[in-house]
Amino acid sequence: MQIMAFTTAAALFGIGLYGVISQRDMIKICIGLSIMESALVLVLVAVAFRAGAEAPILTPDAVRYVDPLPHALSLTAIVIGAGVISLALGLTVMVQRRFGTTNLRAVLSRIQ
Amino acid sequence: MTRRNVFALLIALTGAGGLFAVLIVYGGTGEALPALAATFLERSIADSAAVNVVSTVLLDYRAFDTLGEATVIFASVTGVSALFVRAHLIPQSRGAGILVERAIGYLAAFFWLFPVYIVLFGHLSPGGGFQGGVALAVLIILLNVVYGTERGASILTTHRLHLFEDAGALAFLLIGTVGIIQGSAFLANLAAGFPGGVPGRLLSSGAIPLLNLAIGIKVASGLATIFYEFLASWDKAGARWKP
Amino acid sequence: MTAYEFAFLFLLVLLVVAALAAVLVRGYITSIIVLSVFSVLMAVVFAFLQAVDVAMAEAVIGAGFMTAIFVGAIAKTRRSS
């Protein structure tokens, strides 16, 4: 199960990276960034996983638990990712207001 | 397919392959937990009397990390507010229609219950300040969408949301300072004299429910502020924004 | 392969398809809706991996908050252009 999750995480990271590089629209780039961030959270959660172990909520009859530390780290990563994406979208809105477009190529040609 | 797309595909394949190789080599499928995680799981009850080990790690062992995370949210709210400083919210009375308004009106009490439950039971079950806070922000967004921003923004103005956010951050810092006053470390929990209680009860595990509440209020008001900023617009007569 | 693992594999395939659709689809609103579906699927995957706290955060943020913010940004950038 861990190997399957690792493979998916790598594939999702590649898809997000492809979106960030190939798209020219800033909102599409934000979508790619969001997918990359989710892929890395999946990596953290998959590293914490142990086959047959329980979620880290202590119960009397459970013996083995998954690693709780990466869960705390990935919670932090998710919330910070939301902050970063909203700031990027705010910048996108400002670029649209200043240049009339969110297409990066048009914006760059306007600057030069 | 253009040259640019081929280039992007190559880079993406390289990135995905590199990540996959690193994960296969260093990802580790070791059966035993790392020593640190085993210690956390063993001592969670003794150290902070919390059943949910993730919340113990988040708000006791690594609480300073959480303070940094709250600071990042604060920075992002400040950044978005600074970007939209010239814009202001034009309230709209138009909602989603009478059927949706009445239906949501009957359900709203249960909708309020859910985030509060997530925040208050953060040390016993999955959830905590962050999840409950974001759920509360989403609820505020939903009520604004359903009833129109005129009613929503007149009750929860941006000014009041900022006050709530500052109150949450200050409460977090004050709870942390209790540890220093009691002669222990900053953000110490049971060592600072907070009552541990019986593990598994609602009123237990010292400062963790208080910290959860502070973070919940802070995250909810911060994210709702971001949403209000995205709703604001520049009036037509306003000059073009110059950097 | 147990039924549990088979269900997990099916979810992962759906996840990759949703990510591909979110990146490659042309329309903006379609892309955002697919992204929120992606987030919900990701939350289910986290629950399969026994990370319940992370699953709750991902569901609430990805499917709730991010969708609202993206729709707000699209409404602002499309209106006056």
Side-chain angles (χ1 to χ4, degrees):
Chain A
M1 258 176 109
Q2 213 170 12
I3 299 295
M4 290 195 282
F6 281 161
T7 316
T8 314
L12 291 181
F13 185 81
I15 292 169
L17 196 57
Y18 175 77
V20 168
I21 299 173
S22 72
Q23 300 286 340
R24 299 206 180 85
D25 192 90
M26 289 176 77
I27 290 178
K28 291 280 188 178
I29 291 177
C30 289
I31 291 174
L33 273 180
S34 165
I35 289 175
M36 279 168 78
E37 181 222 322
S38 290
L40 290 180
V41 174
L42 180 58
V43 167
L44 278 174
V45 171
V47 165
F49 181 72
R50 297 289 184 281
E54 303 266 329
I57 314 273
L58 299 177
T59 42
D61 45 345
V63 197
R64 302 173 62 236
Y65 298 102
V66 296
D67 193 346
L69 186 56
H71 291 182
L73 295 183
S74 47
L75 260 179
T76 315
I78 287 178
V79 178
I80 286 181
V84 168
I85 298 276
S86 51
L87 195 56
L89 285 175
L91 284 172
T92 306
V93 172
M94 290 323 280
V95 164
Q96 201 275 339
R97 189 169 152 73
R98 178 78 172 78
F99 295 101
T101 176
T102 53
N103 192 318
L104 269 183
R105 172 164 293 186
V107 170
L108 284 178
S109 72
R110 196 77 66 81
I111 287 175
Q112 282 154 6
Chain B
M1 223 169 172
T2 59
R3 264 184 69 187
R4 185 190 168 95
N5 282 6
V6 174
F7 175 72
L9 196 61
L10 279 180
I11 296 268
L13 281 179
T14 314
L19 181 64
F20 186 68
V22 168
L23 285 179
I24 289 300
V25 176
Y26 294 105
T29 51
E31 274 306 294
L33 288 178
L36 191 61
T39 316
F40 283 165
L41 284 166
E42 242 170 55
R43 302 190 41 137
S44 173
I45 293 276
D47 277 347
S48 65
V51 180
N52 184 357
V53 185
V54 177
S55 79
T56 314
V57 174
L58 211 57
L59 296 172
D60 190 343
Y61 296 124
R62 302 182 66 94
F64 211 71
D65 256 13
T66 309
L67 181 62
E69 179 185 3
T71 316
V72 170
I73 295 177
F74 194 76
S76 102
V77 172
T78 314
V80 174
S81 298
L83 281 177
F84 292 100
V85 67
R86 295 277 178 78
H88 32 90
L89 192 66
I90 300 169
Q92 275 205 340
S93 60
R94 200 159 58 90
I98 182 77
L99 281 180
V100 183
E101 285 185 21
R102 293 305 288 269
I104 297 293
Y106 288 124
L107 292 173
F110 302 104
F111 287 172
W112 283 107
L113 205 59
F114 182 59
V116 173
Y117 164 76
I118 296 179
V119 171
L120 289 184
F121 282 68
H123 54 300
L124 302 178
S125 59
F130 284 107
Q131 292 95 327
V134 181
L136 203 55
V138 171
L139 177 60
I140 294 173
I141 293 173
L142 173 77
L143 292 182
N144 268 306
V145 169
V146 169
Y147 290 107
T149 44
E150 198 177 56
R151 269 185 272 180
S154 64
I155 299 169
L156 270 178
T157 57
T158 322
H159 184 66
R160 282 180 197 163
L161 283 177
H162 279 305
L163 278 184
F164 274 124
E165 189 179 7
D166 298 346
L170 276 180
F172 194 96
L173 288 177
L174 282 180
I175 294 167
T177 322
V178 170
I180 298 181
I181 294 172
Q182 295 281 341
S184 181
F186 183 60
L187 283 167
N189 189 5
L190 292 193
F194 286 105
V198 184
R201 290 282 185 83
L202 178 57
L203 290 177
S204 67
S205 58
I208 289 184
L210 299 176
L211 290 177
N212 262 333
L213 203 59
I215 289 182
I217 292 172
K218 185 184 152 30
V219 169
S221 45
L223 295 189
T225 311
I226 291 182
F227 175 70
Y228 275 131
E229 297 291 350
F230 269 93
L231 282 189
S233 61
W234 297 268
D235 42 348
K236 293 283 182 223
R240 263 171 90 93
W241 183 75
K242 288 277 196 302
Chain C
M1 186 179 268
T2 61
Y4 190 75
E5 285 185 337
F6 188 75
F8 186 65
L9 188 63
F10 181 65
L11 271 175
L12 292 183
V13 172
L14 277 185
L15 201 61
V16 172
V17 170
L20 271 178
V23 168
L24 296 180
V25 155
R26 292 201 86 81
Y28 288 94
I29 293 295
T30 323
S31 197
I32 300 307
I33 300 299
V34 172
L35 191 68
S36 83
V37 171
F38 170 82
S39 279
V40 172
L41 286 173
M42 193 62 133
V44 180
V45 167
F46 288 159
F48 263 79
L49 291 173
Q50 304 290 338
V52 273
D53 289 79
V54 189
M56 196 174 268
E58 174 76 27
V60 169
I61 289 188
F65 179 70
M66 295 290 267
T67 312
I69 293 298
F70 266 110
V71 168
I74 288 171
K76 276 197 140 171
T77 52
R78 292 301 112 185
R79 185 176 44 200
S80 49
S81 63

